[in-house]
């Protein structure tokens, strides 16, 4: 879907900005049901000394503050990497409607790869999840970042 690609490009720009800050390059964008961007940002784990400073968490927090509501129904979260269990759990609590992610995360992805938290019938909320949007660009950014880190380079 073309709309998904447009918002994933915004998330990719946030991931690039995170890399420049020395963060793992993951970006996220939360969009309401009318297509308005409620929040966008990248990882801020290192900058904020916050183990929960993943792009998804930062964006969900910001949008909740702006909306004056911790529930964000009808929203779609676009993120460049398949979310971990912490982030998927936050999406459930926030009641997002849909997740769109770029690259799969075979080591800690909790939406399709290792677990399917967004579709677990034992939980009180489920969300639709679509992966693979601009997957090569999203995964390539991460691969380049970690290769440069191993080689002692910076972006």
């Amino acid at each position: 879907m073309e709309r998904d690609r447009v918002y994933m490009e915004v998330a990719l720009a946030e991931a690039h900005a995170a890399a420049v800050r020395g963060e793992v390059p993951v970006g996220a964008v939360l969009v309401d049901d009318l297509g308005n961007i409620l929040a966008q940002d990248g990882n801020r784990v290192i900058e904020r000394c916050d183990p929960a400073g993943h792009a998804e968490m930062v964006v969900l927090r910001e949008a909740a503050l702006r909306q004056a509501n911790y529930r964000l129904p009808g929203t779609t979260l676009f993120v460049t990497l398949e979310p971990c269990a912490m982030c998927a759990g936050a999406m459930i609590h926030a009641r997002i409607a849909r997740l769109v992610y770029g690259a799969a995360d075979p080591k800690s992805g909790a939406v399709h790869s290792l677990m399917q938290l967004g579709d677990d019938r034992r939980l009180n909320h489920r969300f639709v999840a679509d992966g693979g949007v601009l997957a090569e660009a999203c995964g390539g950014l991460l691969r380049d970042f970690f290769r440069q880190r191993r080689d002692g380079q910076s972006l």
Side-chain angles (χ1 to χ4, degrees), residues 4-152:
D4 291 353
R5 294 174 62 85
V6 168
Y7 291 115
M8 190 60 73
E9 289 284 354
V10 176
L12 264 168
E14 293 294 344
H16 281 283
V20 170
R21 292 191 306 271
E23 301 278 357
V24 174
V26 177
V29 178
L30 188 70
V31 177
D32 70 14
D33 56 350
L34 299 175
N36 300 307
I37 293 177
L38 301 177
Q40 63 188 69
D41 211 331
N43 274 357
R44 292 192 180 269
V45 174
I46 297 166
E47 174 186 318
R48 295 181 181 171
C49 296
D50 180 4
H54 292 190
E56 302 95 309
M57 300 293 284
V58 173
V59 165
L60 290 173
R61 285 178 182 140
E62 180 63 29
L65 286 171
R66 287 182 181 171
Q67 299 295 308
N69 192 345
Y70 69 100
R71 298 263 168 92
L72 301 163
T75 58
T76 300
L77 182 66
F78 295 85
V79 62
T80 58
L81 181 65
E82 179 183 2
C84 69
M86 172 184 67
C87 294
M91 287 180 249
I92 291 165
H93 288 293
R95 306 295 196 266
I96 69 154
R98 182 172 178 239
L99 165 71
V100 179
Y101 67 87
D105 186 349
K107 292 184 178 181
S108 62
V111 176
H112 288 135
S113 295
L114 295 179
M115 296 171 259
Q116 294 76 43
L117 289 180
D119 193 35
D120 190 323
R121 295 189 183 277
R122 297 170 295 179
L123 301 175
N124 62 343
H125 176 74
R126 290 186 295 280
F127 56 83
V128 174
D130 298 305
V133 176
L134 300 180
E136 186 53 41
C138 294
L141 180 59
L142 285 158
R143 284 188 299 277
D144 290 348
F145 177 82
F146 286 114
R147 186 186 70 249
Q148 289 173 355
R149 276 262 174 104
R150 285 189 301 274
D151 295 344

